[in-house]
Amino acid sequence: MMTVKGVAVLLAAGALFLGGCGGDRSAEQSAGQTAAGKRLSIATGNTTGVYYVLGGGLADQIGKNIPGYQATAEATGASVENIQRVVRGDSDIAFTLADSAADAVAGKGSFTSPQPIRAIARLYDNYTQVAATTESGVKSIADLKGKRVSTGSPNSGTEVIALRLLKAAGLDPDKDVTRQSLGLPESVQGIKDGNLDALVWSGGLPTPGITDLVTSLGDKVSFVPLDGVLPAMQGEHGPVYATGTIAKDIYKTPADVSTIAVPNLLVVNEKMDPALAESLAKLLFDHKADLEKVHPAAKEITRDNAPKTDPVPLHDGARKYYG
């Protein structure tokens, strides 16, 4: 028969187990400690986006190949939130769009002061994907006037780009559109249910959530070309915004779609141990083939482009790896 003391021990053990399984990090986890070694949190994005998929692959490779470390990919609102998490110490590694990261180091836009982040690598490019129902008649960003539009999760890189797109087309995001700040899964469902006319998404190609949308609705949804607003975007925000193309074979569209491409960065807090930062950079290339199996966007990660993270400084450890 179990004693009172034995019951207490079991209950305490159970509480620790449940605490470790919850969404919030426990005191030990926030300090980066687990029974298997140091635990790293990777801030990714929406669960149907490339950040989350590739982040899971990165976490797996860290656990397998960096001795003393385990990692977990966390679903988040993406870029701006991810940077905030790294600065606060809630996450150790983060995926972010380069425009949001540039704002962070400059202390502008969503950031009131310069943020202490450093880059591990430039990754693949994100492509801005504006999908609209054909019934809405939206063929340009200006046509979004008066429409119901999802501009992405609050504090996401998608939201930053969406608001800039609307302004570049001469629209007031708060007056000229019925704006909803939804994550990708909710945005896709909103279009399927007829509650949205369009969504804006910035992600790698193909993005699983967008694939689901076009597979489900077929020719009832189309992509809005963005070449018309690119000059205004570049004039206001610089060359971080570049010409991109969504090839017709990506989502089986009738033709290629012109869009705007933005690089993605992998960033950390400037205080990260240089040896760990060096190991992370090395991991990206030593196990690149494994990451490509998780998502084809990893094929775009190259040794030549990886150090090109300006204006976000490279972490000293990453710089040592690149030589």
Side-chain angles (χ1 to χ4, degrees), residues 17-18 35 37 42 50 69 85 89 104 116 118 131 146-147 159 161 163 166 199 233 254 263 300:
F17 174 78
L18 291 173
I42 305 174
V50 178
Y69 288 94
R85 289 175 64 92
R118 296 291 183 266
K147 304 300 183 183
E159 182 180 64
I161 290 176
L163 299 184
L166 292 168
L199 66 81
M233 293 280 281
E300 293 184 34

Side-chain angles (χ1 to χ4, degrees):
M1 185 173 179
M2 186 172 290
T3 65
V4 173
K5 181 178 180 181
V7 171
V9 170
L10 282 179
L11 288 174
L16 286 172
F17 174 78
L18 291 173
C21 293
D24 296 330
R25 303 172 82 190
S26 68
E28 285 188 341
Q29 286 175 313
S30 62
Q33 302 295 325
T34 71
K38 295 182 179 179
R39 171 72 63 178
L40 301 176
S41 169
I42 305 174
T44 62
N46 292 182
T47 55
T48 57
V50 178
Y51 280 0
Y52 187 74
V53 175
L54 198 55
L58 179 60
D60 183 52
Q61 292 305 313
I62 288 172
K64 290 178 178 177
N65 298 293
I66 300 184
Y69 288 94
Q70 296 294 320
T72 303
E74 310 283 357
T76 69
S79 296
V80 175
E81 178 186 335
N82 289 357
I83 292 170
Q84 294 169 340
R85 289 175 64 92
V86 163
V87 170
R88 290 195 306 262
D90 294 338
S91 294
D92 304 288
I93 305 165
F95 288 80
T96 178
L97 281 164
D99 56 346
S100 295
D103 284 353
V105 296
K108 66 178 186 179
S110 300
F111 305 93
T112 57
S113 62
Q115 303 299 298
I117 60 169
R118 296 291 183 266
I120 295 297
R122 173 174 172 167
L123 304 173
Y124 60 95
D125 286 347
N126 258 22
Y127 295 83
T128 307
Q129 301 161 60
V130 182
T133 63
T134 51
E135 183 180 65
S136 69
V138 173
K139 298 184 183 300
S140 69
I141 295 298
D143 290 339
L144 291 174
K145 186 172 184 177
K147 304 300 183 183
R148 301 164 300 172
V149 184
S150 173
T151 52
S153 301
N155 290 325
S156 66
T158 290
E159 182 180 64
V160 171
I161 290 176
L163 299 184
R164 289 177 176 179
L165 282 174
L166 292 168
K167 292 175 182 177
L171 300 180
D172 185 328
D174 297 318
K175 296 180 180 179
D176 292 330
V177 300
T178 301
R179 181 160 66 92
Q180 297 188 40
S181 300
L182 302 174
L184 184 58
E186 296 80 15
S187 300
V188 168
Q189 194 60 48
I191 288 193
K192 289 181 180 180
D193 293 341
N195 298 323
L196 287 173
D197 299 302
L199 66 81
V200 181
W201 171 251
S202 179
L205 298 175
T207 293
I210 301 297
T211 299
D212 172 45
L213 178 66
V214 298
T215 301
S216 300
L217 297 187
D219 60 6
K220 293 181 180 178
V221 67
S222 60
F223 290 91
V224 179
L226 304 181
D227 49 331
V229 292
L230 178 59
M233 293 280 281
Q234 291 176 324
E236 182 69 20
H237 305 289
V240 69
Y241 295 115
T243 299
T245 300
I246 303 173
K248 62 183 180 181
D249 63 320
I250 297 294
Y251 297 121
K252 311 305 179 196
T253 51
D256 293 349
V257 180
S258 63
T259 188
I260 294 173
V262 185
N264 285 296
L265 305 180
L266 196 66
V267 300
V268 299
N269 194 293
E270 65 180 5
K271 295 179 180 178
M272 176 175 274
D273 177 6
L276 175 57
E278 182 179 4
S279 294
L280 290 172
K282 185 175 185 294
L283 179 77
L284 290 174
F285 296 97
D286 285 356
H287 299 280
K288 185 170 178 285
D290 295 305
L291 295 175
E292 291 174 4
K293 293 174 184 176
V294 174
H295 196 283
K299 294 178 181 178
E300 293 184 34
I301 304 172
T302 68
R303 183 67 172 69
D304 287 342
N305 280 336
K308 299 175 182 178
T309 61
D310 286 342
V312 182
L314 278 172
H315 192 286
D316 289 344
R319 181 178 290 108
K320 181 179 178 181
Y321 170 72
Y322 298 122

